[in-house]
Amino acid sequence: MVTIKDVAERTGYAIKTISRVMNDEPNVSQKAKTIIRQAMLEMDYYPNSVAQQMRGKATKMIGVVISYITNPFFAYLVDAIEETANQKGYQVVVFQTKDKPKNQMRFLEMLKSKQLDGLILAYIEEENDDITDLIETGKVVVCNHRSPYSKLPGVFIDEKKATYEAITFLIAQGYRKIAYCSGGKYDPNNLRFAGFIQALKAHQIPFDDTYHFEHKWDVFGGQQIVREMMKMSEVDRPQAIFANGDLLASGILSECLTQGIKVPETLAIMGFDDQPVAQILTPKLTTVQQPIKKMGELSTEILIANLRGETPPDYEVLATMLMIRETT
């Protein structure tokens, strides 16, 4: 069983300081409060007396559920969420699912037990009735991640349309053999992949499933993709590659430079997100810009308005833009 001593050892703060945070005393810095509260949540440490106290008032804490904090997309998204929440008097704690549905359930239970005021689900491992019910109460807002089967409301871009436009651009540039790279597994119903296939079909281009690379999402995955491509005969290799994220695209570009593959002459590269790294790569990365900051701000504004019983801001599907640079 977790004790206050365990929390002290994890955070480096004295037991007396942790006790002050639990009692919401004023003589503790905001930084210490955030660190201690996050540790308590992650360690599932809440003495009964504190839990009872919390049930009677708002915690002023909201959680953000993501898959992996090491993905820069989520880092930028969380930054926008935290900045907006802080301006409105709320603190933010970040939870990683790490591809484990049981973690998602644990975070939802923390909300239901009033250890948190609300949750922003930026990644969903499994949709269930709990999520639907909590959305209806206004305590959960979904953003970013959306399955093709989902009917959940939330703050999203049109992933299918954005990918369709990106692939249509590559085809207009003369590329016909186009690869698709995803962090997940092969799923023909995935919204981005559906947009990819739709663009190929619109131009009567068959898709070669040897050009589908799955479970690749970071720099090292991108490098591995290029190594796998180099094992193909020269005539069978893709002419262009759509990477489902700029981090993945940067790994592809890095390995191309190592292997002496000319970009875009031999291989064109298209990313997704338009993270800052896209503009400092050499050559600069062509990518799909999605409004990460706006997504984080709007999700937070909606959640906090719901929690306060206020009218949330109106919103529509967020717009994307194709940023044409030097890799295509």
Side-chain angles (χ1 to χ4, degrees):
M1 183 171 119
V2 179
T3 67
I4 192 171
K5 184 178 179 181
D6 296 323
V7 179
E9 290 178 353
R10 176 160 176 169
T11 62
Y13 287 99
I15 291 176
K16 187 175 182 180
T17 303
I18 295 169
S19 179
R20 285 176 176 168
V21 171
M22 290 191 296
N23 293 319
D24 203 24
E25 295 180 12
N27 298 326
V28 184
S29 70
Q30 191 58 58
K31 177 182 177 182
K33 288 181 180 179
T34 300
I35 292 173
I36 290 169
R37 285 171 176 165
Q38 171 120 13
M40 289 169 64
L41 290 170
E42 291 175 353
M43 300 172 74
D44 289 329
Y45 174 72
Y46 271 98
N48 290 338
S49 59
V50 175
Q52 290 167 358
Q53 182 184 17
M54 284 189 169
R55 291 189 188 104
K57 64 179 182 179
T59 65
K60 293 292 185 179
M61 300 276 287
I62 61 176
V64 183
V65 177
I66 61 175
S67 55
Y68 290 93
I69 193 63
T70 48
N71 184 335
F73 169 85
F74 287 116
Y76 291 116
L77 181 67
V78 169
D79 182 65
I81 290 171
E82 184 172 42
E83 183 177 349
T84 306
N86 289 168
Q87 291 171 359
K88 296 180 179 294
Y90 285 77
Q91 297 301 311
V92 171
V93 288
V94 180
F95 304 115
Q96 301 181 77
T97 63
K98 294 187 175 181
D99 297 329
K100 297 177 181 178
K102 68 177 182 179
N103 284 343
Q104 174 182 291
M105 292 304 301
R106 182 162 63 90
F107 306 147
L108 291 171
E109 287 299 326
M110 291 169 65
L111 175 60
K112 290 191 287 185
S113 65
K114 299 187 179 180
Q115 297 178 32
L116 299 166
D117 290 345
L119 272 178
I120 295 175
L121 298 181
Y123 193 86
I124 298 177
E125 293 291 347
E126 290 181 352
E127 291 188 15
N128 53 49
D129 291 339
D130 282 343
I131 294 176
T132 303
D133 292 344
L134 288 166
I135 288 174
E136 291 177 355
T137 66
K139 294 182 179 180
V140 164
V141 171
V142 180
C143 75
N144 172 54
H145 184 70
R146 189 177 198 178
S147 81
Y149 317 103
S150 177
K151 295 183 180 179
L152 296 177
V155 181
F156 307 111
I157 63 168
D158 189 334
E159 296 181 90
K160 184 176 180 180
K161 179 182 176 183
T163 308
Y164 175 86
E165 292 174 348
I167 303 306
T168 298
F169 169 78
L170 290 176
I171 294 171
Q173 297 299 108
Y175 304 110
R176 290 294 182 272
K177 296 188 290 184
I178 306 173
Y180 182 93
C181 310
S182 172
K185 62 182 180 180
Y186 176 80
D187 180 3
N189 295 308
N190 175 276
L191 292 172
R192 293 190 192 182
F193 187 69
F196 174 83
I197 294 298
Q198 183 183 34
L200 294 184
K201 286 183 176 179
H203 294 83
Q204 293 80 50
I205 299 174
F207 176 61
D208 185 342
D209 59 10
T210 62
Y211 290 171
H212 187 281
F213 299 91
E214 60 184 26
H215 299 302
K216 305 288 192 298
W217 64 272
D218 60 4
V219 170
F220 303 107
Q223 293 171 334
Q224 186 179 356
I225 286 169
V226 175
R227 295 185 192 118
E228 291 177 16
M229 286 172 46
M230 293 302 290
K231 295 177 183 178
M232 302 177 183
S233 65
E234 188 171 347
V235 70
D236 291 332
R237 292 172 192 164
Q239 301 168 318
I241 190 162
F242 173 83
N244 210 350
D246 290 344
L247 190 63
L248 179 62
S250 65
I252 294 170
L253 178 57
S254 169
E255 188 64 19
C256 282
L257 297 177
T258 299
Q259 298 267 2
I261 300 170
K262 294 183 178 181
V263 177
E265 292 85 353
T266 302
L267 181 69
I269 304 172
M270 172 76 72
F272 204 104
D273 289 339
D274 196 28
Q275 297 173 16
V277 68
Q279 298 187 54
I280 62 174
L281 293 170
T282 303
K284 294 180 173 62
L285 180 67
T286 296
T287 185
V288 177
Q289 181 190 79
Q290 62 169 322
I292 303 173
K293 190 172 189 293
K294 180 63 176 177
M295 186 181 293
E297 292 172 343
L298 189 54
S299 301
T300 311
E301 289 169 358
I302 292 169
L303 178 61
I304 293 177
N306 290 341
L307 297 176
R308 290 175 172 175
E310 301 169 352
T311 302
D314 294 329
Y315 66 96
E316 298 177 348
V317 175
L318 300 181
T320 59
M321 181 182 299
L322 185 59
M323 307 301 293
I324 301 170
R325 298 194 179 102
E326 300 170 352
T327 59
T328 54

